[in-house]
Amino acid sequence: MKILIIGSGGREHAIGWKINQNPKVEKLYFSPGNAGTLALGENLPSMSIEQLAEFAKEKAIDLTVVGPEAELSMGIVDLFQANGLKIFGPNKKAAMLEASKAFSKDFMTQYGIKTAQYQNFTNLDLALEYLETQSFPLVVKASGLAAGKGVVICQNKTEAIEAVRTMLSGDAFGKAGEEIVIEEFLEGFEASILSIFNGKEITPFVSAKDHKKIENGEKGLNTGGMGVIAPNPLFTKEHQLMFEKEINQPTLKGLLAEGLIFSGVIFYGLMITSKGVYLLEYNMRMGDPETQTLLPLMESDFLELILDAIDQKPLEIKWKDQSACCVVMVSGGYPKDFEKGFEISGLENLEIPYFVAGAQMEQNKMINTGGRVLNLVSCQPTLQAAREKVYQEISKVKYNKAYFRTDIGEI
Ligand code: AMP
Ligand code: GLY
């Protein structure tokens, strides 16, 4: 099979790495890919979704897997399907469950999915009026895609007024902030659950725990994720049952009722509180760095799962009886200004899988090109052993200004 993978980060490297383990794979293409994906296949330039469809037709690509939300919300799946091309991911309408928080909150309420109380606003005066009736803290969210930056937790009314004004004025997030969601603050811990929808059933993965902040102890600025462990040791069987009954099943019911039928990943962002498991958000794609953590832990053949999902066949996902710990290496300064252009060395000595997040090959040297640089992942019989291994191995990797958290998976 000839397979095209769209995206440029560690997530796409991990998808390619796992899919490549299936002997059916003849050739992998990545658009645009990175220094890591070069070892698995051919990197293509970044292309528009129309150009990608042309390329897939020309090369008779058998399957396309889409990493990032942007292409999904532009309707790449609809376009490929209209051209008779096989593709894994939600269509444009279903991708709105991520691309519009207002749409997804309305969907959750309509189908009785447990989520924070909220209201959607496009009008500044109405939003300000609503703030007068609320208690704090409170959460203000830009409805559209804002690269994970569109959520402000407001401790008091002054902060909330400021957040509402800057979002609705378009100053903060442009069009993504034209509509906002104001919602109840939930106190608890978070869990990520990815799943595969085959158009009939949603089959969840094992749970994962992201570490979003730049500094140890969950302090400092929010990032695209500094590390993930799986399974999430705080997420119990009881939580799993609540998730299944109050979130996963009603989501399935809603998707079927609304005709949102597709084959792809649904990623549930959960908050576990003293009152149960709440759905914070849907992501209609694989998580980063959840994917880099979960695929090495997956026993099943991922390509077969994707092909079965597209054919609406029942899925059974098998997992290794292990824990995974993934640590993200970044460039000093990230998530603000960071330096790039440094040579990375030592990867050839690693005894564990690594995925490239932001680096390119230049004259046979791997050079970091992004703030997020590498993901190292270890799977071991216990979480403790997985943590120890990944931190042992990470000392072998060198580049200027390398930074990573040293407490990923510390519970
Ligand atoms: P979201 O993009 O909706 O996942 O929000 C990003 C992050 O903001 C989440 O991972 C949470 O840490 C936080 N967050 C979002 N909504 C809430 C809420 N209602 N209560 C508390 N924290 C929240
Ligand atoms: N790790 C969170 C995300 O991919 O959005």
Side-chain angles (χ1 to χ4, degrees):
M1 291 183 74
K2 285 182 276 184
I3 299 174
L4 169 62
I5 298 172
I6 295 168
S8 67
R11 168 179 54 197
E12 289 73 21
H13 185 185
I15 293 171
W17 170 85
K18 182 73 177 163
I19 283 182
N20 199 42
Q21 292 169 15
N22 185 311
K24 280 186 196 157
V25 175
E26 209 177 299
K27 173 136 190 180
L28 291 180
Y29 293 94
F30 296 85
S31 172
N34 62 36
T37 63
L38 262 185
L40 298 170
E42 184 177 335
N43 286 350
L44 308 164
S46 281
M47 289 185 248
S48 68
I49 61 172
E50 289 78 15
Q51 288 169 325
L52 287 163
E54 274 311 305
F55 174 84
K57 270 200 291 192
E58 222 170 80
K59 292 279 182 192
I61 296 292
D62 299 294
L63 171 69
T64 299
V65 181
V66 189
E69 59 270 32
E71 279 81 0
L72 293 167
S73 68
M74 282 176 211
I76 189 168
V77 170
D78 312 61
L79 181 64
F80 270 55
Q81 286 172 343
N83 282 279
L85 295 160
K86 207 176 250 199
I87 186 163
F88 183 64
N91 54 36
K92 188 171 180 169
K93 177 111 192 270
M96 269 179 68
L97 287 170
E98 172 168 5
S100 166
K101 289 191 192 292
F103 174 76
S104 83
K105 291 292 289 189
D106 288 347
F107 174 88
M108 292 176 212
T109 318
Q110 188 175 349
Y111 292 98
I113 296 155
K114 192 157 169 163
T115 191
Q117 300 279 340
Y118 75 103
Q119 264 197 48
N120 301 333
F121 295 93
T122 49
N123 179 290
L124 178 63
D125 292 335
L126 292 177
L128 294 176
E129 228 170 78
Y130 180 73
L131 289 181
E132 295 298 327
T133 64
Q134 297 301 299
S135 52
F136 295 87
L138 193 72
V139 188
V140 179
K141 301 183 175 185
S143 178
L145 292 176
K149 299 192 177 75
V151 174
V152 185
I153 297 182
C154 306
Q155 297 303 334
N156 51 50
K157 197 164 34 170
T158 316
E159 286 178 20
I161 292 172
E162 166 79 14
V164 164
R165 278 189 191 281
T166 49
M167 280 189 201
L168 283 178
S169 67
D171 289 351
F173 305 106
K175 276 186 95 60
E178 272 177 4
E179 186 163 21
I180 60 169
V181 179
I182 303 182
E183 82 178 25
E184 170 197 9
F185 175 79
L186 296 175
E187 180 118 47
F189 70 89
E190 287 178 63
S192 307
I193 298 202
L194 276 66
S195 65
I196 301 180
F197 183 37
N198 66 357
K200 290 182 171 168
E201 282 170 338
I202 306 171
T203 310
F205 287 16
V206 294
S207 60
K209 174 178 162 47
D210 197 359
H211 298 62
K212 289 201 170 108
K213 296 277 162 63
I214 187 73
E215 288 167 27
N216 282 355
E218 271 316 284
K219 297 206 179 81
L221 295 171
N222 233 345
T223 73
M226 295 300 292
V228 164
I229 53 170
N232 184 332
L234 302 173
F235 195 76
T236 62
K237 283 214 169 76
E238 207 184 354
H239 296 137
Q240 184 76 36
L241 289 174
M242 290 191 239
F243 161 72
E244 198 46 52
K245 181 158 173 262
E246 294 176 286
I247 296 172
N248 198 38
Q249 287 311 322
T251 295
L252 175 63
K253 217 169 151 196
L255 292 174
L256 298 177
E258 296 292 319
L260 297 171
I261 308 298
F262 63 93
S263 62
V265 168
I266 303 174
F267 162 172
Y268 296 94
L270 305 176
M271 181 72 87
I272 292 82
T273 76
S274 56
K275 289 193 264 168
V277 179
Y278 285 75
L279 179 61
L280 288 181
E281 62 164 356
Y282 295 109
N283 293 309
M284 302 306 286
R285 53 172 172 83
M286 299 187 76
D288 185 336
E290 282 87 349
T291 303
Q292 295 93 304
T293 318
L294 288 159
L295 290 183
L297 199 58
M298 184 185 277
E299 184 80 56
S300 301
D301 186 309
F302 189 44
L303 177 58
E304 297 298 339
L305 287 174
I306 291 175
L307 295 172
D308 285 350
I310 291 174
D311 290 340
Q312 298 204 329
K313 290 191 187 150
L315 304 182
E316 193 196 343
I317 310 179
K318 293 214 171 75
W319 298 94
K320 295 177 185 161
D321 190 16
Q322 293 183 333
S323 285
C325 181
C326 168
V327 178
V328 176
M329 300 185 75
V330 302
S331 187
Y334 170 85
K336 288 196 172 158
D337 290 342
F338 56 85
E339 288 183 64
K340 52 188 181 184
F342 300 120
E343 183 181 351
I344 302 165
S345 66
L347 293 172
E348 64 285 0
N349 302 322
L350 288 177
E351 292 166 12
I352 56 173
Y354 70 87
F355 302 113
V356 173
Q360 294 293 345
M361 293 307 287
E362 285 176 24
Q363 286 152 6
N364 272 329
K365 292 181 180 155
M366 196 186 285
I367 307 289
N368 83 298
T369 51
R372 304 170 66 71
V373 182
L374 289 166
N375 316 130
L376 269 58
V377 194
S378 165
C379 297
Q380 296 287 332
T382 64
L383 173 60
Q384 185 56 25
R387 290 196 61 221
E388 275 168 22
K389 183 70 180 170
V390 81
Y391 281 115
Q392 246 169 35
E393 291 289 307
I394 215 167
S395 60
K396 296 178 179 170
V397 182
K398 305 275 183 228
Y399 58 88
N400 232 332
K401 311 259 187 223
Y403 170 81
F404 53 87
R405 271 177 63 168
T406 56
D407 68 341
I408 301 304
E410 235 173 60
I411 299 300

